[in-house]
Amino acid sequence: MKAKVSVTNIVPTGLRLAPSQVWGTLRLVPVLRDEVRGDLRFAQRSYDDDLTLVSLKGGLKEPGLKYLSYVPHGLVMSWEGRHAEAVVGTQLQKPEGKALKVGPHTLRLMHRMVRREEKNRLRMLPLHLAMEGFLSLHFGGPEVAWAEYSREALSHGLDPRTEWSVPGWANPLFDEALRVFEIHERQVGVLLFHADLLLSAFIVSHPEDYRALHRTLLEDFYGELLLQYGFLDSAASLESPIDERRVSSLGELRAAVGRMREDWAEFQGFMAGGLFGAEVWATSVYGAGPFHLQRFVTGLQVSEENHIGEWVTRQDGTLEYLRTYRLSAAQTRRAYLLKQLALADWNLDRAAEALKTTRAELILRLRNAGFGYLLKDSVK
Amino acid sequence: MFVNACFSCTGQREFYNDARGQSVSIEFLHAYILGNYRRLYARTLAAGINHFNQAQIILNLLATGKQTPAGDRREEGALIAASLRSLPPQRAFRVLELLRERRINNRRARAIAREYLEGREEPSFDAVKYRAKLRASVAHGHLKLAGELNAFLFHGWRKRVFKTPLLETFRRAHYQQAALFELPFTIAEGLAVKHGIPRDVFLERIEPRLTVGERLRLQGAAARQEGAIAIDLGNAPLTKLALYLLSMKPETRRERHAELHAALERAATRTLRRGTVPLGRVAAVLDNSYSASGSTEKRRRPLGVALAAHYLLSSMAREYRAFWTSPPESPLLVGARGQTDLASPLLDALEWGAELVVIVSDGYDNDPPHAVAELTRVFRTKLDPSRRTTLIHVNPVFASDLYAPRALGAYVPTVGVRDAEDLPTVLGFARFAEGAAPLSELEDYLAARVRRLLERGRRAAEPGVSPVEDEATLDAGEDA
């Protein structure tokens, strides 16, 4: 099974940035939308289980491919229906999936990452969708039975593949930053910078939904950078001064303030350049009316910032939903190695050649990245 | 800076800073000024600062009487006595109680306490309402009170019978439900629980005894209990009233719009009766961004101050216009929402041609950041170097990390306020907050205010010199 992968880029059509608000090391950049059509709404559905097991293939309790993680909430997307507005937060919730008790913990079994519940309603597990896509990338392991690979790798692939991430509440500063953040009237999203590195982007379609979902950012997961840079002092306060020589009336002063605001938007757009406009490898997940849900991984170049995530676009190209996760350097390295191996049909020599390195070096890198179990012990 | 802090800081949690930081910060300021500028410190009592800081100053002065220079003793003693008298009774009694907690027991402290208690109009009411505090202070200072009070405080309702009616009621209320409803609300509340009186019955029958503050506070509770408490909007102080109105649901505010509007206007006029300068063409730039919602301890206070300032300024000024950061349908329907874009309303105000622009904001300016600082810099240096327009930033929030209310750049003086009622006073202080006027001028200004306060106090008390001043002069050196 290989989903069709297309190379494209995320363009923030229909969106505009406002000046950032800084709290300690965190910089939150509001994303505004001027034209709100209101035919696509998102709502939160919370699960308070300790662990969630999502069946990707097969039935709930049947053997098959599973995804296991802590999932605090899901996102319900509804579109086009006449009741789209009423749906948000008003309908009674039927418990979804199946909850099991395992000792003191609860385990929830769920069907699929993205599941259509009604004609115009889709439930998805935000970010987990992207993370699962990322994990299943080259998940199958070698397709040709090269002699170096262990029996384990040949029969099961990389099963089970794990990654770890940091929940938003692991950093107390983040809670505080979300609390004091002043949400704009037309705000539909936020870019989260930590120590001026883009950590995550979250954009929805309707300002009211954003207001309701603002606090769920705390439950989402983020790359290790959220912790790693937690000890830095504070984000630099950036100033763009007004040139008083060019001001001789109040009208010109007003124009200067307007320019100041534009400078901010431009500058922050530039800071988010690793995401917006960069090339991404996207997989189509669901077509919902005029909307198209995709998940993506950026180029996985070790020297650059890399994001995974999912996004929804309208037919006319407007970006309606976006949620991203920044991969840590180690995660990028692992993914990069797997990708290179896959490109070389899992042939170690060819892969080493493509990486401009030696076979021994590549094996060392594989072992260091935690993929030692793929290779036979005798391979040196 | 200190005076400024004394206007706004109450040691409570704010939107951006927590309570712990606030108290550490204000304590440091108090200790610093007390140590270095003692006379200024005492005279700040006359500056119209908030009650929290007045109480702090009184305590600190009484605790360190030994350090008072001989020449200042008389004035200091008189100032303490006068400002203690002007504090609301619960605050004043708390000061007396703190004297015991902090083990301050010199002759001056005792004399001040005695004089304060002698000056109270209804000692028996105090004895019932502030029983524990009064008792602590009497025991601490070995004071003798008139009539049956000492017996009441130390034997309470177990004594057979009192001649003073209120004390007798208090005693009877312990045995008889009906007597309870003649007591002050807070006392009756506890006894009602003891007698097992249902809350709604209790609220209904105690209603005539409620004070204005208690009425405002009980509104919410009464609504939940389905019993309404009649409230006379005409009597509450302006900022309290504004805060109360903001706590109503928007629908309620819309329905009763005319009535509430009139009440606020009346409160504003009443505040101004105390005397103030008439102003010319005034514009108010009012911040109703999300941070104006305050904190759990000071709910909606910045917004309430802004609303109250709106009404106050509109009745002070010949011409007036308000510029909100996100303009509401009507000032009464204002809510704390959205980002802080102070630059645009400020530009509007300047274009309108105001002579005085009062900015009411917490000093966080984020759309774009530092826009006001830049804007006012260019405005001051380029467009209006002769200062035809006066700009003043009024800040209801104390930023503990800065030891002062947060400023909007170097070209706008920032002053702190807790209540909008302080505005007339604060407009007088704006010059000092800018740092332009020298310390000596501030001292002169304060000295004038001290004289006024003491004169008022003397007229209020009985004629002749009060005994405290003499004793304070003699014994200020004796410390416990």
Side-chain angles (χ1 to χ4, degrees):
Chain A
M1 180 228 38
K2 275 272 171 197
K4 205 168 146 272
V5 177
S6 58
V7 181
T8 172
N9 39 31
I10 302 172
V11 189
T13 320
L15 300 170
R16 158 169 87 81
L17 297 179
S20 62
Q21 296 176 27
V22 176
W23 187 253
T25 43
L26 288 159
R27 181 188 296 283
L28 299 178
V29 178
V31 181
L32 313 185
R33 188 192 296 281
D34 288 324
E35 189 201 354
V36 178
R37 299 199 212 171
D39 55 354
L40 177 69
R41 302 296 299 260
F42 289 90
Q44 183 200 0
R45 174 177 298 171
S46 28
Y47 312 111
D48 43 6
D49 302 287
D50 298 310
L51 216 54
T52 304
L53 188 68
V54 186
S55 318
L56 302 173
K57 277 186 210 157
L60 269 191
K61 287 187 170 176
E62 293 160 19
L65 197 55
K66 308 281 186 200
Y67 174 87
L68 186 69
S69 175
Y70 168 64
V71 181
H73 62 258
L75 213 52
V76 179
M77 163 177 159
S78 45
W79 67 95
E80 265 191 349
R82 264 168 298 153
H83 58 288
E85 301 255 345
V87 152
V88 177
T90 55
Q91 92 242 8
L92 291 171
Q93 276 191 16
K94 205 168 51 183
E96 190 196 340
K98 215 178 186 86
L100 298 180
K101 270 213 133 347
V102 185
H105 305 290
T106 53
L107 175 71
R108 182 170 290 276
L109 304 180
M110 279 203 281
H111 245 306
R112 307 284 190 273
M113 281 290 163
V114 173
R115 184 168 192 223
R116 194 166 195 151
E117 295 190 324
E118 272 176 30
K119 187 160 161 282
N120 285 335
R121 201 163 81 214
L122 201 62
R123 185 271 294 145
M124 63 172 153
L125 303 178
L127 282 186
H128 294 281
L129 173 64
M131 184 50 97
E132 187 261 319
F134 172 68
L135 287 179
S136 64
L137 203 66
H138 316 299
F139 177 84
E143 281 148 16
V144 182
W146 300 100
E148 296 93 340
Y149 292 101
S150 66
R151 184 184 295 277
E152 180 81 18
L154 289 175
S155 52
H156 295 291
L158 281 76
D159 194 15
R161 222 189 125 185
T162 55
E163 286 295 344
W164 72 285
S165 60
V166 181
W169 39 261
N171 187 344
L173 195 69
F174 188 43
D175 184 16
E176 204 59 10
L178 285 183
R179 183 182 69 80
V180 302
F181 181 77
E182 299 187 327
I183 301 175
H184 289 238
E185 227 25 83
R186 291 167 166 209
Q187 184 171 353
V188 291
V190 71
L191 303 182
L192 173 67
F193 289 89
H194 195 214
D196 285 337
L197 293 171
L198 180 64
L199 209 56
S200 165
F202 174 52
I203 295 167
V204 291
S205 180
H206 199 282
E208 276 170 36
D209 295 348
Y210 179 75
R211 221 167 248 280
L213 292 169
H214 179 65
R215 295 293 295 186
T216 64
L217 285 174
L218 200 59
E219 289 180 343
D220 272 334
F221 56 84
Y222 300 90
E224 288 159 288
L225 286 178
L226 187 66
L227 285 188
Q228 215 169 325
Y229 287 118
F231 303 106
L232 293 182
D233 197 15
S234 60
S237 87
L238 307 163
E239 297 195 23
S240 86
I242 296 176
D243 183 4
E244 68 258 39
R245 280 164 305 180
R246 285 164 58 190
V247 176
S248 60
S249 71
L250 277 175
E252 284 177 35
L253 192 55
R254 185 183 289 274
V257 172
R259 236 182 346 265
M260 204 167 157
R261 197 166 280 142
E262 279 161 27
D263 283 352
W264 268 102
E266 238 169 65
F267 174 67
Q268 287 157 349
F270 162 75
M271 290 213 301
L275 179 63
F276 291 123
E279 274 193 343
V280 296
W281 275 253
T283 328
S284 185
V285 179
Y286 219 97
F291 304 106
H292 187 199
L293 173 63
Q294 287 172 293
R295 62 182 171 201
F296 71 87
V297 182
T298 50
L300 293 178
Q301 289 303 314
V302 181
S303 55
E304 287 166 19
E305 58 180 284
N306 284 289
H307 299 266
I308 60 170
E310 65 252 354
W311 91 97
V312 173
T313 46
R314 197 184 283 272
Q315 257 162 2
D316 63 6
T318 319
L319 185 62
E320 296 286 353
Y321 168 85
L322 174 72
R323 202 155 204 169
T324 72
Y325 170 91
R326 186 189 178 125
L327 294 174
S328 72
Q331 282 169 331
T332 308
R333 219 160 30 236
R334 286 197 283 274
Y336 177 73
L337 281 176
L338 286 188
K339 189 174 160 190
Q340 293 306 322
L341 280 177
L343 284 178
D345 286 334
W346 298 83
N347 181 325
L348 286 179
D349 294 310
R350 242 182 285 160
E353 202 177 316
L355 286 169
K356 297 194 177 60
T357 174
T358 61
R359 177 190 158 96
E361 185 79 7
L362 176 64
I363 289 171
L364 185 68
R365 276 169 74 173
L366 275 173
R367 289 197 199 280
N368 283 348
F371 288 130
Y373 65 91
L374 280 178
L375 305 172
K376 277 183 187 155
D377 286 345
S378 55
V379 176
K380 289 275 159 54
Chain B
M1 182 169 96
F2 173 63
V3 176
N4 229 335
C6 284
F7 270 110
S8 51
C9 179
T10 57
Q12 285 170 309
R13 204 181 148 77
E14 297 281 6
F15 188 76
Y16 290 102
N17 299 112
D18 62 5
R20 172 92 191 114
Q22 295 263 326
S23 68
V24 169
S25 170
I26 193 75
E27 268 169 29
F28 166 74
L29 266 183
H30 272 277
Y32 180 80
I33 305 288
L34 174 65
N36 294 302
Y37 307 97
R38 192 178 173 97
R39 186 190 294 168
L40 191 72
Y41 187 71
R43 286 182 172 176
T44 311
L45 280 174
I49 58 172
N50 68 33
H51 297 143
F52 169 81
N53 286 299
Q54 279 187 22
Q56 291 296 313
I57 295 183
I58 293 177
L59 279 170
N60 287 335
L61 285 176
L62 285 177
T64 57
K66 206 181 260 174
Q67 293 148 22
T68 319
D72 285 347
R73 283 184 188 172
R74 206 185 166 81
E75 183 190 280
E76 197 179 295
L79 258 176
I80 294 174
S83 47
L84 190 63
R85 246 197 323 273
S86 67
L87 281 180
Q90 73 278 18
R91 293 258 185 195
F93 277 109
R94 175 70 185 145
V95 170
L96 296 185
E97 193 184 36
L98 278 173
L99 284 179
R100 171 151 113 166
E101 267 171 39
R102 285 176 56 177
R103 294 163 175 267
I104 303 168
N105 200 4
N106 47 44
R107 277 178 70 179
R108 183 168 67 156
R110 285 200 295 274
I112 296 265
R114 191 176 64 234
E115 198 224 6
Y116 178 72
L117 295 180
E118 280 166 1
R120 295 291 298 168
E121 277 169 20
E122 281 187 74
S124 53
F125 177 86
D126 290 343
V128 172
K129 176 134 187 172
Y130 308 109
R131 191 155 164 268
K133 293 192 174 74
L134 184 62
R135 188 178 143 138
S137 141
V138 166
H140 181 57
H142 307 290
L143 304 176
K144 282 274 181 296
L145 296 178
E148 296 170 312
L149 285 178
N150 269 21
F152 172 76
L153 285 176
F154 295 99
H155 301 292
W157 64 96
R158 288 188 199 86
K159 188 172 180 262
R160 281 297 155 77
V161 78
F162 287 104
K163 289 194 202 73
T164 324
L166 190 62
L167 303 186
E168 175 63 12
T169 317
F170 179 76
R171 190 191 64 80
R172 270 196 297 128
H174 281 86
Y175 307 105
Q176 186 188 358
Q177 286 196 10
L180 180 152
F181 296 103
E182 292 160 38
L183 288 173
F185 168 71
T186 37
I187 309 297
E189 201 176 22
L191 285 173
V193 174
K194 183 184 140 167
H195 286 307
I197 303 176
R199 183 78 178 164
D200 46 343
V201 178
F202 170 69
L203 282 179
E204 198 179 310
R205 292 192 57 190
I206 198 74
E207 205 200 310
R209 311 278 310 173
L210 293 180
T211 64
V212 177
E214 284 162 355
R215 266 164 213 274
L216 287 179
R217 205 168 60 217
L218 280 174
Q219 277 297 299
R224 276 196 298 280
Q225 305 272 348
E226 307 265 314
I229 289 177
I231 170 165
D232 177 17
L233 293 174
N235 270 327
L238 181 61
T239 308
K240 267 210 175 132
L241 186 64
L243 283 171
Y244 166 61
L245 297 187
L246 287 176
S247 75
M248 290 179 171
K249 290 202 187 89
E251 304 92 69
T252 327
R253 278 189 262 165
R254 191 160 297 159
E255 276 165 28
R256 301 172 53 189
H257 191 273
E259 177 199 350
L260 303 178
H261 179 72
L264 276 173
E265 276 192 336
R266 266 202 313 280
T269 343
R270 211 175 37 250
T271 313
L272 292 179
R273 219 171 287 148
R274 282 189 239 144
T276 173
V277 268
L279 302 169
R281 201 175 161 84
V282 179
V285 174
L286 305 168
D287 179 3
N288 61 337
S289 65
Y290 176 55
S291 60
S293 58
S295 66
T296 45
E297 281 175 14
K298 302 173 95 171
R299 210 156 268 191
R300 294 185 210 90
R301 181 161 276 279
L303 192 62
V305 171
L307 181 61
H310 168 72
Y311 277 92
L312 199 63
L313 289 171
S314 73
S315 53
M316 272 164 92
R318 193 159 36 77
E319 275 180 274
Y320 171 79
R321 256 175 86 175
F323 300 89
W324 295 86
T325 50
S326 46
E329 215 176 301
S330 130
L332 257 178
L333 300 176
V334 72
R337 233 176 123 98
Q339 81 283 15
T340 317
D341 171 16
L342 279 178
S344 320
L346 181 58
L347 279 166
D348 292 340
L350 292 174
E351 268 176 9
W352 178 63
E355 290 165 9
L356 170 68
V357 181
V358 180
I359 307 171
V360 182
S361 159
D362 57 10
Y364 282 83
D365 164 31
N366 55 31
D367 183 28
H370 308 295
V372 174
E374 277 300 301
L375 195 161
T376 48
R377 181 179 64 82
V378 175
F379 181 74
R380 267 277 171 266
T381 53
K382 192 75 188 290
L383 299 181
D384 184 23
S386 56
R387 298 184 173 244
R388 271 174 287 119
T389 308
T390 316
L391 296 170
I392 290 177
H393 172 210
V394 170
N395 193 337
V397 177
F398 179 77
S400 55
D401 45 352
L402 304 174
Y403 298 107
R406 208 180 171 84
L408 290 169
Y411 292 82
V412 196
T414 299
V415 279
V417 293
R418 181 171 146 74
D419 289 321
E421 287 91 316
D422 300 335
L423 257 180
T425 323
V426 149
L427 292 182
F429 266 108
R431 237 154 31 90
F432 304 116
E434 215 170 349
L439 187 65
S440 60
E441 205 174 315
L442 175 63
E443 282 186 342
D444 293 344
Y445 177 84
L446 279 177
R449 286 193 65 99
V450 167
R451 272 197 303 282
R452 243 182 299 156
L453 176 79
L454 294 186
E455 270 165 30
R456 224 187 307 148
R458 211 161 288 145
R459 257 180 281 127
E462 62 281 330
V465 186
S466 87
V468 176
E469 291 178 32
D470 294 333
E471 285 185 35
T473 335
L474 290 172
D475 309 316
E478 189 204 57
D479 257 356

